């Protein structure tokens, strides 16, 4: 017995002129930008021009795959939000401050990469707001960049740094450094300025705060 199935009708969805125009515009924009620009938009912080959190995540994933030693340097700017809220400062001033710090760190990271063979893969990036991260392979490199960061200032804004073998340890060290700074306590000079021989410390002492 033959059963005749009903013929299915093909129903065309009406075209939304606005959506169709956006698709055309998007395709044209991508073609004009090219692959290089698209990658830049995905992995470069648009305000400062340094790597963003996505680029940092890719670098960390690669390090995990290759089992490379990793030391984290967490950075937070002291007094940034308070200064930005003052009359005459505002977001324009805040953007200048963030760019100044980012360029300062990036330039010094580049010099370390070029002058210290073991720091050839050191990477600095902005995680968001006034929070930054430097990823490196040695405690020596972490100490060097911490010393550089400790010397930076913009108006009355400075930076606190935490160093650790994990993000959690670096965070804890950073918060300890900021608490010490707010309470008026000063860490020993070699910890404030960063250590050039951190790798010689016992592992129980890792996770240092630099205020």
């Amino acid at each position: 017995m033959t059963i005749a199935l009903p013929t299915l009708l093909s129903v065309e969805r009406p075209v939304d002129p606005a959506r169709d125009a956006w698709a055309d515009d998007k395709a044209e924009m991508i073609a004009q930008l090219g692959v290089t620009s698209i990658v830049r938009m995905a992995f470069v912080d648009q305000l400062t021009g340094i790597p963003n959190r996505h680029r940092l995540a890719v670098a960390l994933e690669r390090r995990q795959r290759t089992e490379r030693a990793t030391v984290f340097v967490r950075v937070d700017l002291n007094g940034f939000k308070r200064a930005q809220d003052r009359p005459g400062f505002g977001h324009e001033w805040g953007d200048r401050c963030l760019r100044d710090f980012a360029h300062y760190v990036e330039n010094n990271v580049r010099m370390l990469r070029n002058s210290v063979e073991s720091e050839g893969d050191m990477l600095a990036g902005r995680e968001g707001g006034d929070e930054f991260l430097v990823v490196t392979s040695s405690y020596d490199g972490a100490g060097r960049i911490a010393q550089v960061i400790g010397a930076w200032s913009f108006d009355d804004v400075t930076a606190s740094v935490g160093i650790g073998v994990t993000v959690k340890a670096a965070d804890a060290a950073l918060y300890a450094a900021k608490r010490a700074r707010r309470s008026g306590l000063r860490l020993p000079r070699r910890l404030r300025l960063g250590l050039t021989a951190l790798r010689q410390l016992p592992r129980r002492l890792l996770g240092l705060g630099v205020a």
Side-chain angles (χ1 to χ4, degrees):
M1 180 177 64
T2 303
I3 300 175
L5 297 176
T7 303
L8 297 178
L9 298 178
S10 176
V11 179
E12 294 187 1
R13 181 176 299 175
V15 176
D16 183 344
R19 181 184 296 272
D20 193 58
W22 162 238
D24 292 341
D25 290 344
K26 185 167 60 174
E28 182 179 355
M29 180 180 66
I30 292 174
Q32 291 177 351
L33 286 173
V35 175
T36 301
S37 296
I38 294 173
V39 170
R40 178 178 175 80
M41 291 173 64
F43 295 109
V44 176
D45 181 65
Q46 298 304 300
L47 175 63
T48 64
I50 68 173
N52 60 18
R53 64 190 309 155
H54 301 297
R55 174 66 181 88
L56 289 168
V58 170
L60 290 175
E61 184 181 356
R62 183 180 297 119
R63 281 175 171 275
Q64 290 175 351
R65 287 202 309 267
T66 58
E67 298 183 348
R68 295 209 60 172
T70 302
V71 181
F72 299 90
V73 182
R74 297 298 297 268
V75 186
D76 186 82
L77 302 188
N78 302 314
F80 173 79
K81 295 180 177 65
R82 183 175 63 252
Q84 186 173 244
D85 291 338
R86 290 188 305 199
F89 282 65
H91 291 289
E92 185 177 341
W93 173 90
D95 289 349
R96 291 201 308 272
C97 178
L98 293 173
R99 281 194 292 263
D100 185 88
F101 178 77
H103 296 165
Y104 175 84
V105 173
E106 176 68 13
N107 288 338
N108 281 279
V109 164
R110 185 180 301 112
M111 285 191 291
L112 281 173
R113 283 200 303 256
N114 294 335
S115 61
V116 183
E117 183 176 354
S118 62
E119 301 309 324
D121 60 351
M122 182 182 286
L123 180 68
R126 181 186 178 208
E127 293 191 292
D130 61 343
E131 298 178 353
F132 296 80
L133 176 68
V134 181
V135 181
T136 186
S137 298
S138 70
Y139 303 115
D140 183 62
R144 289 172 186 266
I145 197 63
Q147 182 174 3
V148 169
I149 292 171
W152 174 87
S153 66
F154 187 90
D155 290 338
D156 58 351
V157 176
T158 58
S160 287
V161 178
I163 300 171
V165 292
T166 65
V167 172
K168 185 176 181 179
D171 278 339
L174 173 61
Y175 296 144
K178 293 183 77 70
R179 284 196 302 270
R181 181 181 180 277
R182 285 194 295 267
S183 64
L185 298 176
R186 301 299 293 172
L187 298 176
R189 178 177 175 78
R190 66 176 188 156
L191 294 189
R192 285 192 289 108
L193 298 182
L195 299 174
T196 56
L198 289 173
R199 62 180 178 273
Q200 299 176 5
L201 293 174
R203 293 189 66 83
R204 63 186 176 83
L205 296 181
L206 298 180
L208 304 172
V210 181

